């Protein structure tokens, strides 16, 4: 990544995002905390270099993409877009058309959406949000299940885990990739090969399940 990418972002905008928006992620579930949004921002900046885009807008879309989790997971992408649209402070740096585009991009990032993002901004953040890291995918899937289905036993969690992994990541799954310059396509192919073997999938689950059990 070019060393001056973050330097090209408006400094006052960076200060606002870092002090007022990033901290909101500290209150979300384990898979969507500060480390997650910082990763999405970093990867969005990297992908943005391939396109003629406003880097400030890319930065904002990445930073706000999951803030709607404050209202729950199901509509979080819509709520995130509504938050962008309503954010008075953003008018210091952007006009109404830019804010509308950013709100659309935030709405379009969700992995389960069957529709192609309406703009390049939506495609960039959607791609950056798709972190194809087997360990991270397995861990976050387990953590989500533990947080939302505390009444489940281990085998019930495993059944939910397998269902989610197959629906989202297996060939024909709902996860869609939008940016050809992203390394995600190769990583996804490798992961698909691994999860075809249910014994391998069970081993991945067991390793992370045991690890999470040791965390206070």
């Amino acid at each position: 990544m070019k060393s001056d990418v973050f330097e090209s972002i408006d400094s006052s905008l960076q200060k606002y995002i870092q002090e007022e928006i990033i901290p909101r992620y500290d209150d979300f579930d384990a898979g969507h905390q500060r480390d997650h949004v910082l990763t999405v921002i970093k990867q969005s900046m990297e992908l943005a270099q391939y396109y003629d885009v406003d880097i400030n807008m890319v930065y904002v879309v990445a930073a706000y993409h999951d803030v709607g989790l404050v209202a729950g997971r199901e509509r979080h992408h819509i709520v995130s877009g509504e938050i962008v649209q309503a954010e008075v402070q953003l008018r210091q740096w952007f006009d109404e058309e830019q804010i509308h585009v950013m709100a659309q991009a935030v709405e379009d990032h969700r992995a389960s959406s069957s529709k192609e993002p309406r703009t390049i901004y939506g495609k960039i953040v959607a791609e950056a949000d798709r972190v194809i890291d087997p360990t991270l995918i397995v861990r976050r899937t387990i953590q989500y299940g533990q947080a939302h289905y505390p009444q489940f036993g281990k085998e019930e969690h495993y059944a939910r885990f397998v269902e989610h992994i197959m629906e989202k990541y297996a060939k024909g799954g709902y996860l869609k990739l939008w940016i050809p310059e992203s390394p995600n396509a190769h990583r996804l192919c490798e992961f698909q090969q691994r999860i075809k073997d249910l014994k391998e999938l069970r081993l991945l689950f067991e390793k992370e399940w045991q690890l999470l059990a040791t965390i206070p």
Side-chain angles (χ1 to χ4, degrees):
M1 183 169 62
K2 295 178 181 178
S3 60
D4 61 348
V5 171
F6 280 94
E7 293 175 6
S8 64
I9 300 170
D10 184 284
S11 59
S12 61
L13 175 61
Q14 280 198 71
K15 185 174 186 294
Y16 175 71
I17 294 296
Q18 290 169 2
E19 294 180 357
E20 302 297 332
I21 305 305
I22 303 301
R24 299 184 191 183
Y25 287 78
D26 294 337
D27 294 326
F28 297 153
D29 65 88
H32 296 89
Q33 294 204 331
R34 189 180 296 236
D35 61 333
H36 170 69
V37 69
L38 293 176
T39 295
V40 172
I41 289 172
K42 178 178 180 293
Q43 295 189 166
S44 293
M45 296 297 103
E46 292 173 350
L47 294 173
Q49 296 178 85
Y50 296 101
Y51 299 92
D52 181 16
V53 292
D54 183 325
I55 199 68
N56 290 307
M57 291 174 65
V58 173
Y59 181 62
V60 168
V61 173
Y64 278 83
H65 81 282
D66 274 341
V67 292
L69 285 168
V70 68
R73 189 179 181 89
E74 285 307 309
R75 295 186 67 255
H76 82 278
H77 55 305
I78 301 299
V79 176
S80 295
E82 291 171 349
I83 290 171
V84 170
Q85 194 71 55
E87 200 86 315
V88 174
Q89 291 88 341
L90 290 178
R91 271 77 183 174
Q92 297 176 49
W93 302 284
F94 306 101
D95 61 32
E96 292 302 319
E97 178 58 28
Q98 289 173 312
I99 289 172
H100 178 67
V101 169
M102 292 188 295
Q104 279 190 338
V106 166
E107 290 177 3
D108 290 347
H109 86 273
R110 192 171 187 180
S112 58
S113 175
S114 59
K115 297 181 180 178
E116 181 175 348
R118 287 165 282 187
T119 67
I120 187 59
Y121 295 96
K123 290 179 179 178
I124 286 172
V125 74
E127 189 72 30
D129 193 38
R130 286 144 179 71
V131 181
I132 312 299
D133 178 325
T135 299
L136 198 56
I137 289 169
V138 171
R139 183 177 304 155
R140 287 180 174 173
T141 303
I142 294 172
Q143 288 174 323
Y144 180 86
Q146 291 175 332
H148 291 82
Y149 304 97
Q151 74 277 19
F152 279 9
K154 179 180 177 181
E155 292 309 309
E156 291 173 298
H157 278 296
Y158 179 65
R160 192 205 71 83
F161 164 82
V162 172
E163 180 180 20
H164 172 75
I165 293 294
M166 292 305 182
E167 285 184 352
K168 183 172 182 178
Y169 296 101
K171 286 190 176 181
Y174 66 75
L175 181 73
K176 300 292 187 297
L177 303 179
W178 306 112
I179 303 292
E181 291 82 5
S182 168
N184 279 337
H186 177 67
R187 293 174 183 166
L188 179 59
C189 185
E190 288 186 337
F191 188 49
Q192 287 171 340
Q193 289 300 117
R194 293 185 71 180
I195 64 177
K196 283 170 63 176
D197 184 345
L198 291 180
K199 290 182 179 179
E200 171 74 4
L201 190 56
R202 182 78 198 209
L203 288 173
L204 289 170
F205 173 86
E206 290 291 343
K207 180 179 179 181
E208 291 305 313
W209 180 271
Q210 295 300 325
L211 180 63
L212 289 170
T214 65
I215 299 175

